[in-house]
Structure formats: structure tokens, C-alpha cells
């Protein structure tokens, strides 16, 4: 990877575009279209290097995402209740200075602004429950994930084992940091649950994901909760302005590496044979063109004595010395004496 500056990323991504445009022999049309869409998504991520950190809450029904957002905001800004699914729209909690910097998929939803200095460089987004029966909810969540820098996956000891909860998450972890939040810790979390959760995350390609056990309900009620304090520390202290930029650059580098891997995988296994076939066909076409050109020139010269004499005259200059001079003089004399 190059030095991580916007300019260096621009150079690399421009080279990737050129490669994709030039590889007519490489991926098939479907693979080329997919690679093109993925590359444009990476370009969009590059454009967000200086944007606020976007933290997206995702989870199934009843895991407490909205309660957690209320706890982080210190006020009831998202509906939380027993009716499922509770979250129907994307709710964005952003500093008032960043209101106009929100991407369209967030600004089109519900936006709650604040003036808290400790969250000035962070945008926290609550998304609809992805396991609801409404397909529009899934589309809203995916729209928020496309511009996410950090994904907070919220689950519980009762729901984490449902592989549908984490299986889809693997496709979004490249180019983003994922943190697993095991909510409802006040109801008890057996030690074996944590070990099993980490194993399941590793099986989904998310090994090393930080797992935080917390109780959003206790935190929203103002009661101390070590896990919630760890999350607040992560969002406010660890993600300072410099670290946010570093995280975004690392996420972008991971996205570029992921695209390069996809491009490599899309190169056909029979590339060498394809190139040989192309070279053979191109050579055959060239030879046929040369033969056809020679035949046409020969026919033209045979039909036009003056043209033949003219060509002979100029061709004779290619021979140097006295021999060339004699040939030129002879050809010139024939050209002058030939019938007009």
C-alpha cells in the first residue's frame, strides 16, 4: 500500500480504474460490472476521509439499540418499547456543526442535533431492525452501512447464537471497524456465552472483534455500568480527531486491499491461454492484411506502368553508392520515356 495520504490513494485508485478499463481480456462482463461498482464504493469512502466518524448501530428486534442510543445521547431521542419492530426509520444523532455534512442516506431520515463538544467529530446512527418483515427496513440499514466507519453490532445472550444475526455482517466488515455489544447484561451473561460468541464471530471472518458486555437499560437510567463506560470511552476518548483520521485511513486501506483481492480473484485461470489465442489471432489478422495489401499494390502496379516506374525510381534511392545512382538514373530515364 502507498503512503496513506489522499493524493496517494487517488493515484492508486486511478490506476485501478485504468486497469479495469483496459482489461477487456480479463473478467467477464458480470465480474467487470461488479468490480466497477465496488471500486466506485471505495472512491466514495475515500471522499469521506475528512468527514466525521460515522458510527452505525445495527441489530435484530428487541436487542435494545434505541435504548442504547438514548443512553449515549443522555436523552430520549429514539423510540424504545415493547412493540416490535420499534425503530422504523434511520435516526441520526449528530453535532450541529455537522448537520450539512451528513450523506443523503442519513439526512433523508430523522436527524437530532446536539452541541456536545466530546462528540463533535462523531455521528451516531440508529437503524431499523434488520430481521423485521419489512424489506424497506433492510434497505435503510444497508444505506447507513455504506458510509459507516464503525459498526456497533448489538445483540443479547438470547439472540447472539442466531447465525442470521452475524452471517450477513461479514460482507460489511472490510473497510470498517466492528464492535460487538452484548446487551442486557443486567439479565445475566454466562461466561460460556462470551466464548461461544467470539468463536461464532471468528467463524464469520470477524476474529479479534472487540466484545463489550453492557446494559443499555441501566445506563439510560443513570446507573453505573462498566461496559457502557467502556463504550463511551471508545467513542469519546479513544476516537479523538487524530485517531479518527487514522481509523478512516486504515478502513480505506482495508477496502482497497479487499478490492485488489477481488480483482485478482476475477482474473480468469486460463488467462495465459486467452493471451496466446489473442496473440495468434492478431498475428494472423496482421499477416492477412499484409498479404492483401501486397496483392492490391502488385495489381495496381501491373495495371499502371507509370506508377510502377515511379515506385521503381524512388525505391532505387534506397541503394547507396554508384549502384544506387545508376539504378536511379535508369529508372528516371524509363519514367521520362514511358508513354504519357
Amino acid at each position: 500500500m502507498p503512503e496513506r495520504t489522499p493524493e496517494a490513494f487517488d493515484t492508486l485508485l486511478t490506476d485501478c480504474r485504468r486497469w479495469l478499463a483496459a482489461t477487456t481480456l480479463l473478467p467477464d462482463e458480470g465480474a467487470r460490472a461488479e468490480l466497477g461498482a465496488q471500486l466506485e464504493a471505495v472512491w466514495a469512502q475515500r471522499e469521506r476521509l475528512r468527514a466525521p466518524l460515522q458510527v452505525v448501530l445495527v441489530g435484530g428486534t428487541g436487542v435494545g439499540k434505541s435504548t442504547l442510543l438514548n443512553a449515549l445521547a443522555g436523552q430520549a431521542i429514539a423510540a424504545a418499547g415493547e412493540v416490535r419492530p420499534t425503530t422504523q426509520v434511520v435516526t441520526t444523532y449528530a453535532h450541529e456543526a455537522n448537520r450539512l455534512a451528513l450523506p443523503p442516506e442519513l439526512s433523508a431520515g430523522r436527524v437530532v442535533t446536539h452541541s456536545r463538544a466530546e462528540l463533535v467529530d462523531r455521528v451516531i446512527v440508529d437503524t431499523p431492525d434488520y430481521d423485521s418483515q419489512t424489506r424497506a427496513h433492510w434497505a435503510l440499514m444497508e444505506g447507513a452501512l455504506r458510509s459507516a466507519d464503525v459498526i456497533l453490532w448489538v445483540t443479547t445472550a438470547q439472540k447472539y447464537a442466531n447465525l442470521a444475526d452475524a452471517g450477513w455482517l461479514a460482507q460489511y466488515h472490510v473497510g470498517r471497524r466492528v464492535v460487538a455489544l452484548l446487551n442486557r447484561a443486567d439479565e445475566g451473561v454466562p461466561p460460556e456465552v462470551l466464548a461461544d460468541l467470539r468463536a461464532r464471530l471468528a467463524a464469520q471472518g470477524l476474529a479479534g472483534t472487540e466484545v463489550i458486555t453492557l446494559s443499555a437499560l441501566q445506563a439510560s437510567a443513570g446507573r453505573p455500568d462498566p461496559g457502557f463506560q467502556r463504550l463511551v470511552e471508545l467513542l469519546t476518548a479513544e476516537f479523538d480527531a487524530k485517531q479518527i483520521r487514522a481509523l478512516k485511513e486504515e478502513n480505506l486501506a482495508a477496502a482497497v486491499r479487499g478490492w485488489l483481492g477481488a480483482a485478482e480473484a476475477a482474473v480468469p485461470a486460463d488467462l495465459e491461454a486467452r493471451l496466446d489465442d489473442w496473440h495468434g489471432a492478431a498475428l494472423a489478422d496482421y499477416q492477412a492484411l499484409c498479404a492483401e495489401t501486397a496483392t492490391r499494390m502488385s495489381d495496381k502496379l501491373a495495371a499502371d506502368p507509370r506508377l510502377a516506374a515511379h515506385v521503381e525510381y524512388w525505391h532505387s534511392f534506397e541503394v547507396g553508392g554508384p549502384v544506387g545512382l545508376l539504378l536511379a538514373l535508369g529508372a528516371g530515364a524509363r519514367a521520362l520515356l514511358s508513354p504519357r
Side-chain angles (χ1 to χ4, degrees), residues 33-57:
E34 179 66 21
L35 285 173
Q38 292 174 1
L39 186 57
E40 291 311 306
V42 176
W43 267 103
Q45 188 168 340
R46 177 258 176 267
E47 294 299 319
R48 296 192 298 271
L49 278 178
R50 293 186 175 89
L53 188 77
Q54 186 166 312
V55 181
V56 177
L57 293 165

Side-chain angles (χ1 to χ4, degrees), residues 81-164:
E82 297 301 323
V83 178
R84 303 289 181 243
T86 301
T87 306
Q88 305 285 335
V89 298
V90 171
T91 299
T92 302
Y93 185 61
H95 193 278
E96 56 193 7
N98 295 318
R99 178 65 177 84
L100 298 179
L102 296 177
E105 55 269 21
L106 299 186
S107 59
R110 180 169 177 259
V111 179
V112 178
T113 58
H114 63 83
S115 57
R116 297 167 60 185
E118 69 274 19
L119 292 177
V120 65
D121 295 315
R122 303 137 186 94
V123 173
I124 304 174
V125 183
D126 184 25
T127 60
D129 305 326
Y130 56 70
D131 57 355
S132 73
Q133 298 300 311
T134 306
R135 291 297 301 172
H137 289 176
W138 181 277
L140 289 171
M141 180 199 68
E142 287 193 307
L145 283 176
R146 279 193 290 270
S147 54
D149 299 301
V150 178
I151 300 174
L152 300 181
W153 175 53
V154 187
T155 188
T156 65
Q158 293 73 36
K159 299 199 70 170
Y160 81 94
N162 180 3
L163 287 181

Side-chain angles (χ1 to χ4, degrees), residues 277-293:
D277 291 345
W278 175 82
H279 182 267
L283 181 59
D285 289 343
Y286 172 73
Q287 292 172 336
L289 178 61
C290 289
E292 181 181 355
T293 302

Side-chain angles (χ1 to χ4, degrees), residues 19-20 27 30-40 259 261-264 266-267:
W19 176 87
L20 189 60
R32 283 167 57 78
E34 179 66 21
L35 285 173
Q38 292 174 1
L39 186 57
E40 291 311 306
W259 187 88
E264 182 180 2
V267 174

Side-chain angles (χ1 to χ4, degrees), residues 301-326:
L301 291 173
D304 191 338
R306 290 187 61 202
L307 178 60
H310 187 72
V311 170
E312 182 181 4
Y313 171 75
W314 286 108
H315 176 67
S316 64
F317 279 108
E318 294 182 1
V319 181
V323 175
L325 179 58
L326 288 174

Side-chain angles (χ1 to χ4, degrees), residues 120-308:
V120 65
D121 295 315
R122 303 137 186 94
V123 173
I124 304 174
V125 183
D126 184 25
T127 60
D129 305 326
Y130 56 70
D131 57 355
S132 73
Q133 298 300 311
T134 306
R135 291 297 301 172
H137 289 176
W138 181 277
L140 289 171
M141 180 199 68
E142 287 193 307
L145 283 176
R146 279 193 290 270
S147 54
D149 299 301
V150 178
I151 300 174
L152 300 181
W153 175 53
V154 187
T155 188
T156 65
Q158 293 73 36
K159 299 199 70 170
Y160 81 94
N162 180 3
L163 287 181
D165 271 11
W168 61 269
L169 191 57
Q171 65 180 302
Y172 288 100
H173 83 280
V174 176
R176 300 170 179 87
R177 178 168 175 177
V178 178
V179 179
L181 304 179
L182 196 61
N183 195 20
R184 295 191 171 181
D186 52 302
E187 299 175 4
V189 178
E192 58 270 20
V193 167
L194 284 173
D196 189 38
L197 173 57
R198 289 191 173 94
R200 290 175 184 270
L201 287 170
Q204 297 293 336
L206 295 165
T209 297
E210 182 173 2
V211 178
I212 299 176
T213 302
L214 53 79
S215 171
L217 187 62
Q218 286 197 153
S220 62
R223 294 191 291 270
D225 184 86
F228 181 76
Q229 291 304 314
R230 165 60 189 152
L231 177 61
V232 171
E233 177 186 341
L234 183 70
L235 295 179
T236 59
E238 292 190 18
F239 290 157
D240 60 22
K242 182 177 180 180
Q243 289 169 320
I244 287 174
R245 177 60 181 268
L247 175 62
K248 282 177 170 285
E249 290 176 350
E250 177 57 38
N251 286 350
L252 179 55
V256 173
R257 287 193 295 268
W259 187 88
L260 291 173
E264 182 180 2
V267 174
D270 62 344
L271 176 60
E272 185 174 355
R274 290 192 186 196
L275 290 173
D276 287 342
D277 291 345
W278 175 82
H279 182 267
L283 181 59
D285 289 343
Y286 172 73
Q287 292 172 336
L289 178 61
C290 289
E292 181 181 355
T293 302
T295 299
R296 290 188 177 185
M297 289 183 64
S298 176
D299 293 344
K300 185 66 174 176
L301 291 173
D304 191 338
R306 290 187 61 202
L307 178 60

